């Protein structure tokens, strides 16, 4: 990927400082993560997990945010096997992964910088292994 995706624990100042040498600033932040059980069986717990990634760009126009949405959706689905292997080490199996709702918002100005923004939701269905 040609842009970074940061954890929400980083401040905007820290993120922008790490990107200060770029002509056009593009980055994502893992924003909301929600989980809910999707199985009533006591012996097989299934989870629905939604991860929302907020996207920001100083590129004039919506094209860059659209490209970022496409890249995240492609990378997430192409590397599902690697993600599953990492989850298995933590006690879960990946049952299903799909790109969910994506939105490209309007431009917002802050501190003299015009930001394009949007988001993509990644939806996962996980099976919790016996530990």
């Amino acid at each position: 990927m040609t842009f970074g995706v940061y954890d929400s624990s980083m401040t905007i100042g820290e993120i922008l400082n790490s990107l200060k040498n770029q002509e056009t600033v593009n980055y994502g932040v893992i924003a909301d993560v929600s989980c809910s059980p999707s199985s009533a069986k006591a012996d097989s717990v299934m989870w629905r997990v939604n991860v929302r990634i907020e996207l920001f760009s100083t590129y004039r126009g919506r094209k860059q945010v659209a490209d970022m949405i496409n890249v995240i959706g492609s990378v997430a689905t192409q590397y599902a096997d690697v993600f599953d292997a990492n989850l298995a080490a933590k006690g879960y199996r990946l049952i299903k992964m799909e790109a969910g709702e994506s939105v490209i918002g309007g431009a917002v100005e802050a501190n003299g910088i015009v930001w394009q923004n949007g988001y993509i939701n990644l939806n996962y269905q996980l099976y919790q292994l016996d530990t």
Side-chain angles (χ1 to χ4, degrees):
M1 293 191 331
T2 59
F3 57 93
V5 176
Y6 299 90
D7 185 271
S8 61
S9 66
M10 291 183 69
T11 68
I12 292 174
E14 290 171 326
I15 293 170
L16 293 178
N17 190 44
S18 71
L19 302 171
K20 64 184 174 188
N21 295 327
Q22 294 183 6
E23 186 175 316
T24 301
V25 176
N26 304 306
Y27 69 95
V29 175
I30 298 173
D32 302 327
V33 178
S34 62
C35 304
S36 62
S38 64
S39 172
K41 293 183 178 181
D43 62 341
S44 62
V45 179
M46 303 277 278
W47 293 94
R48 287 192 180 129
V49 179
N50 178 273
V51 178
R52 180 178 170 137
I53 302 175
E54 302 273 347
L55 303 168
F56 303 94
S57 175
T58 58
Y59 178 84
R60 292 184 71 106
R62 296 178 175 202
K63 182 185 184 314
Q64 186 62 44
V65 172
D67 289 347
M68 293 166 71
I69 288 170
N70 186 49
V71 167
I72 290 172
S74 295
V75 168
T77 54
Q78 288 176 1
Y79 292 96
D81 291 343
V82 174
F83 186 59
D84 183 43
N86 287 332
L87 283 172
K90 295 173 175 79
Y92 297 91
R93 293 301 319 223
L94 177 64
I95 304 299
K96 183 178 176 183
M97 184 280 152
E98 61 188 10
E101 179 183 40
S102 303
V103 171
I104 301 173
V108 176
E109 186 174 342
N111 297 327
I113 301 171
V114 177
W115 292 97
Q116 297 294 327
N117 66 87
Y119 66 84
I120 181 171
N121 285 311
L122 301 175
N123 302 310
Y124 301 92
Q125 187 171 9
L126 307 178
Y127 173 76
Q128 187 170 338
L129 303 170
D130 293 330
T131 55

